[in-house]
Amino acid sequence: MKTAQVIMDTGARAAALAVKSARVDVVPGYPITPQTSIMEAMAAMVENGEMHARFIPVEGEHSAMAAAVAASAAGARVFTATSANGLLYMHEVLHMASGGRLPVVMCNVNRGIFAPWTLWADHQDSFAQRDTGWIQYHCSSNQEVYNTILQAFRVAEQINIPVMVNFDGFAISHCLMPLTLPPQEDIDRFLPPHEPEWRLDPAQPSSFSNVTNASEYAPFRQMLSDDIMASIPLVKQAAQEYKDITGMWDGDTIDTYRLEDAEVVALAVNSMAAELRLSIDILRQQGIKAGLLRPRLVLPFPAEDIINALPQNAQVMVLDRNYNFGHPGGILASELKSVLFGRRNDITVKNRVMGIGGIDLTRTYMATEIRAMLDD
């Protein structure tokens, strides 16, 4: 029996290695900072024969997603990646992927969107695509990126809904961290070959995404809405089975730290949530019973798991790296308030927007901000 391999590598390379392990068939790609390293790595793997897939270099992100949709409709296991304005350029075709019930998996390397231009991370790009019908994971480490891409394929292909795996530009995409690579046999046990129930086939002509009447259109949209919510048990199952096979665990819909007796709960996603673990330790040393709740799954929002995880009478400090334009504060805070309303009236929710455009979020800075929020 082969053992796992431990290496040092970047988040971008972790993504590429996961896609290779998933035995993907087609990779349409277009470069955009800070995602480019993923496509460079995958193009090199295909070129040198390390990865047996069709790499399709295209002229822009709209074309990348159009090629992904076409390949998936033809029955291929498909991956692509983008960032920021590239994700915005894909917006139209994201709806085609979800409405067409195509299990594409895509990495979005989070970066602030224009104007003005920035290369650095915040979460406005992925959160701006909440209503496109994609499942969204948000990752806090290189290892989680690797693990989640494999789980994303599993979930996507079980329920035929595309999945977006998000992680921060540079803080994760370009930083080296230890990375455990399970044996390929274990990956193959977890993620069997893709066998779609339907595919475009010239030998058996069929219609795909044709024009419908209202009475036909509405049930399709309702089914997509229902099935997105029905993906939550599949996310949990995939996380548990991945743990059973590989021994690795990042949480399922949520991840927690020192939450059991917490009176103050920090809630955040991506790399800032990893740093927040250290902030929680600082607050504990200062006599504040603090804990962390990190939504790993952001869409669908894991309402029941969050409601059940929050301690009685907790004060929840939501740290958003985005703006909920038209409302005060950020999107995560609004999502949390909506699911708590009428269910957990003992919970107090406070919110700060921070880290926009890559402003550094250190353990001491976030601990200080949480202490200040307690006095608000």
Side-chain angles (χ1 to χ4, degrees), residues 72 75-76 96-104 133-135 152-163 194-199 223-224 227-228 231 234:
S72 184
M96 171 62 84
S98 60
R101 304 303 296 264
L102 300 172
V104 176
W134 284 58
I135 295 165
F153 275 111
R154 173 75 172 268
V155 172
E157 292 170 4
Q158 284 180 318
I159 203 164
N160 291 316
I161 294 174
V163 179
H194 179 39
E195 296 291 344
E197 296 180 6
W198 168 90
R199 71 182 77 197
M223 188 184 303
L224 176 60
D227 285 350
I228 289 172
S231 69
L234 298 180

Side-chain angles (χ1 to χ4, degrees), residues 257-280:
Y257 179 66
R258 304 186 78 168
L259 191 63
E260 293 77 12
D261 65 339
E263 297 172 357
V264 176
V265 178
L267 187 147
V269 297
N270 288 38
S271 63
M272 64 189 292
E275 186 76 5
L276 264 170
R277 286 177 171 247
L278 304 174
S279 304
I280 297 305

Side-chain angles (χ1 to χ4, degrees), residues 293-307:
L293 193 158
R294 176 177 69 92
R296 182 169 175 254
L297 185 71
V298 170
L299 203 151
F301 199 67
E304 295 301 321
D305 293 332
I306 290 174
I307 287 170

Side-chain angles (χ1 to χ4, degrees), residues 130-150:
R130 286 175 299 156
D131 297 330
T132 56
W134 284 58
I135 295 165
Q136 285 197 30
Y137 287 92
H138 284 251
C139 301
S140 64
S141 70
N142 298 8
Q143 186 69 62
E144 188 177 4
V145 170
Y146 180 94
N147 298 342
T148 302
I149 288 171
L150 295 167

Side-chain angles (χ1 to χ4, degrees), residues 318 320 324 327-339 351:
V318 183
D320 266 298
N324 190 11
H327 299 269
I331 292 167
L332 278 175
S334 292
E335 294 280 2
L336 180 63
K337 289 175 183 177
S338 72
V339 302
N351 185 213

Side-chain angles (χ1 to χ4, degrees), residues 8 13 31 46 51 63 72 77 81 121 135 159 196 233 261 280 297 328 333 349 370:
M8 289 287 290
R13 281 275 303 172
V46 172
M51 179 177 171
S63 297
S72 184
R77 179 173 283 167
I135 295 165
I159 203 164
D261 65 339
I280 297 305
L297 185 71
V349 178
I370 290 169

